[in-house]
Amino acid sequence: MAQSINCQKVKGTIDFYGELSSKKRYVENKAREICKKYNMEEIITPTFENTEVFSRSSGDGSDIVNKEMYTFLDKSERSITLRPEGTAGVVRSFLENKLYVNPGLKKYYYCGPMFRFERPQAGRFREFSQFGVEFFGEDNYLLDASVIALGDKILKSYGLSGKYRICVNTIGDFKSRQVYQVALKEYFSKYIDSLCDDCKRRLEKNPMRILDCKVDKESEVLKNAPKIKDYLTDESKEYFKNLQEALAYLGCDYYVDDNLVRGLDYYTDTVFEYIACNDDSENSINGMAICAGGKYAELVSKFGGPDISGIGFAFGVERVTNLMDKFGLFDDNVKTKVDFVLIGLDKVAKLFTIKLANEIRDLGYVCELDYKNTSFKSQFKLVDRVNAKNILIFGEEEIKNNLVTVKNNENGEQKSVKLDDFLESIKK
């Protein structure tokens, strides 16, 4: 008896085909176009790295490192991890290739698959695509404000204005966080029994992570926890004040969320998220983070590099695609429009249409053919199926006299013209 084979996709992954793949590419390419206008370079890093790249950047106490990474030993017994996020790999590449040696601000964008072993749910997958940006070389609130405004610009380009809000906060500099961690540890120690198991572990390693807990996020214990704003140094307070003024000047509609922290160790000072709102549907996505990021003043040096500050953000392409679908924001641009269907009514004409179709495609048009049939009725079914704008018909008479019968499928007009004249007209 033949053994059955599991030919289904792995849980938490997606097949992209047809219109769905067109929507995904639309979201990616729209962001690329905007980033190029900021004179940003694309950076492409491997989908897997040495595990230390992520454990060093994310922190041993993070959920990503402890629970979500796809890590394995390769045939040389090296610990390898499929990338769970993009920043660490970009920083590793930035240092390894000495991209920091030339002066000036370095600006990169990336797009590619990420992998996290977490419970699949709405907007959350085990393999997902992420589009992100990273800026290196300047420690300045004006840059922070510009990067936040860039994320706002990208999301608005998808038609999502009014569908999200920008949340910002400061988690302070290193000195601020040292004092704050002590206060949090003292506070949460009183409520240790009411915390989830993960938070009990975080209490020792990094109590600030408790504020980012998905299990206890509605707990009064978390809501009443000490706020970072009460432990900021004067420098951090001034930095955050200047950032808010810059955001207001740039027209970014934001609000300060005192409870906002980021789940990775490398962030300092500015952190921000774009949170979905204005959705009253049954499967509401209100409160879901569409895009998130922050400043990391110490990450590059943590990798053994020079003391260079960075800031960036990333969004899940599938999450944005789903949100656009939910609000009906994709137009006909994501559908492939067939400009011409070429119909050949005999063997000679059929061969001729194949060659001609390639010539017309070289001019930038989308062409389709029925390679099998020669009857008009059979080939016209393809016209209906692809909703072609025009039909080009070739029979014995057309081939003999170098003519083409052109039918406009939208208004029904049909005429016979010289083939050379037709080709010249569509070139123009």
Side-chain angles (χ1 to χ4, degrees):
M1 183 176 180
Q3 187 177 2
S4 62
I5 300 174
N6 185 353
C7 291
Q8 294 182 319
K9 67 179 184 294
V10 176
K11 186 177 181 180
T13 61
I14 317 171
D15 290 322
F16 293 92
Y17 53 88
E19 199 170 297
L20 187 59
S21 61
S22 296
K23 290 175 178 178
K24 183 174 185 289
R25 295 304 182 204
Y26 174 87
V27 169
E28 294 172 349
N29 291 334
K30 185 70 113 174
R32 280 191 174 95
E33 290 169 9
I34 293 174
C35 287
K36 287 177 181 177
K37 291 174 182 176
Y38 281 70
N39 193 31
M40 299 175 68
E41 298 178 14
E42 183 171 17
I43 186 166
I44 303 172
T45 61
T47 53
F48 58 89
E49 301 267 3
N50 290 309
T51 300
E52 189 182 2
V53 169
F54 303 111
S55 60
R56 176 180 292 194
S57 63
S58 301
D60 290 332
S62 69
D63 282 351
I64 288 181
V65 172
N66 287 328
K67 296 199 264 183
E68 298 174 0
M69 294 202 315
Y70 281 94
T71 298
F72 57 93
L73 294 178
D74 68 7
K75 292 183 179 181
S76 297
E77 297 296 308
R78 294 171 298 191
S79 182
I80 301 296
T81 296
L82 299 179
R83 63 184 180 195
E85 53 91 23
T87 301
V90 172
V91 171
R92 190 269 313 148
S93 177
F94 180 73
L95 291 174
E96 187 172 343
N97 295 293
K98 295 182 171 56
L99 302 178
Y100 54 84
V101 295
N102 294 320
L105 183 64
K106 309 298 187 300
K107 302 178 287 187
Y108 303 101
Y109 70 87
Y110 62 86
C111 185
M114 310 291 162
F115 307 85
R116 294 187 190 180
F117 188 81
E118 52 185 348
R119 185 170 66 87
Q121 52 188 294
R124 196 180 295 276
F125 306 97
R126 288 175 174 170
E127 180 184 8
F128 57 97
S129 293
Q130 206 173 66
F131 190 100
V133 306
E134 310 292 351
F135 289 67
F136 299 99
E138 290 187 13
D139 185 353
N140 190 290
Y141 66 88
L142 291 176
L143 175 61
D144 295 8
S146 296
V147 171
I148 294 172
L150 170 59
D152 191 34
K153 180 184 286 288
I154 291 174
L155 293 180
K156 283 179 177 175
S157 76
Y158 301 132
L160 291 171
S161 296
K163 304 293 192 291
Y164 63 91
R165 61 181 183 269
I166 304 173
C167 306
V168 300
N169 195 22
T170 178
I171 56 173
D173 53 20
F174 181 68
K175 191 182 296 183
S176 303
R177 289 203 314 278
Q178 276 187 314
V179 180
Y180 185 47
Q181 296 274 31
V182 172
L184 285 178
K185 194 167 186 178
E186 183 179 330
Y187 170 79
F188 284 123
S189 295
K190 302 172 187 175
Y191 304 99
I192 187 69
D193 293 335
S194 66
L195 301 176
C196 71
D197 290 340
D198 287 332
C199 285
K200 290 174 183 176
R201 174 174 48 80
R202 293 172 183 136
L203 181 62
E204 294 303 319
K205 291 190 174 183
N206 189 345
M208 200 166 168
R209 288 187 182 281
I210 298 175
L211 301 174
D212 200 34
C213 178
K214 297 179 179 67
V215 177
D216 292 329
K217 63 181 179 180
E218 298 301 326
S219 166
E220 290 299 317
V221 173
L222 266 66
K223 291 179 180 179
N224 296 325
K227 309 300 182 189
I228 181 65
K229 64 182 180 181
D230 297 322
Y231 299 86
L232 296 175
T233 61
D234 290 340
E235 292 81 3
S236 287
K237 288 178 183 177
E238 183 68 16
Y239 192 97
F240 192 48
K241 175 177 172 289
N242 289 335
L243 170 70
Q244 293 178 72
E245 291 175 353
L247 286 173
Y249 185 79
L250 292 174
C252 288
D253 188 13
Y254 73 94
Y255 84 95
V256 176
D257 181 355
D258 292 330
N259 292 317
L260 175 61
V261 297
R262 303 291 302 129
L264 300 173
D265 278 351
Y266 49 68
Y267 289 109
T268 53
D269 283 305
T270 306
V271 291
F272 53 93
E273 289 186 348
Y274 306 75
I275 305 294
C277 61
N278 195 22
D279 173 30
D280 299 322
S281 64
E282 182 178 345
N283 298 315
S284 176
I285 43 75
N286 282 338
M288 177 186 289
I290 309 170
C291 176
K295 176 185 170 186
Y296 39 90
E298 301 162 0
L299 181 57
V300 176
S301 59
K302 198 173 182 178
F303 270 83
D307 187 15
I308 295 176
S309 182
I311 184 171
F313 65 74
F315 64 83
V317 173
E318 293 83 0
R319 193 166 287 192
V320 169
T321 302
N322 290 344
L323 197 60
M324 291 179 67
D325 261 336
K326 187 177 282 287
F327 291 111
L329 296 174
F330 283 109
D331 55 26
D332 289 340
N333 289 330
V334 299
K335 297 178 180 178
T336 300
K337 294 181 177 67
V338 175
D339 297 300
F340 300 103
V341 166
L342 281 70
I343 290 179
L345 300 178
D346 56 41
K347 184 178 179 181
V348 173
K350 179 67 71 177
L351 187 61
F352 179 80
T353 59
I354 293 173
K355 183 175 183 292
L356 181 63
N358 287 333
E359 294 176 10
I360 296 175
R361 287 168 182 145
D362 289 342
L363 297 176
Y365 295 93
V366 179
C367 294
E368 269 286 11
L369 305 98
D370 178 335
Y371 293 91
K372 179 180 178 181
N373 298 293
T374 54
S375 75
F376 182 85
K377 183 177 180 181
S378 297
Q379 293 180 80
F380 197 80
K381 291 178 181 178
L382 175 63
V383 176
D384 288 338
R385 194 161 63 246
V386 301
N387 194 26
K389 296 179 186 177
N390 303 280
I391 311 167
L392 305 181
I393 305 168
F394 295 89
E396 184 179 352
E397 187 71 19
E398 283 81 7
I399 298 296
K400 180 180 177 181
N401 296 297
N402 196 34
L403 298 171
V404 56
T405 299
V406 183
K407 181 175 181 179
N408 185 314
N409 203 36
E410 295 174 334
N411 60 26
E413 291 182 2
Q414 180 172 313
K415 58 184 177 180
S416 182
V417 297
K418 285 286 185 182
L419 179 58
D420 291 342
D421 292 343
F422 168 74
L423 290 174
E424 191 62 34
S425 69
I426 65 172
K427 283 180 185 177
K428 296 178 180 178

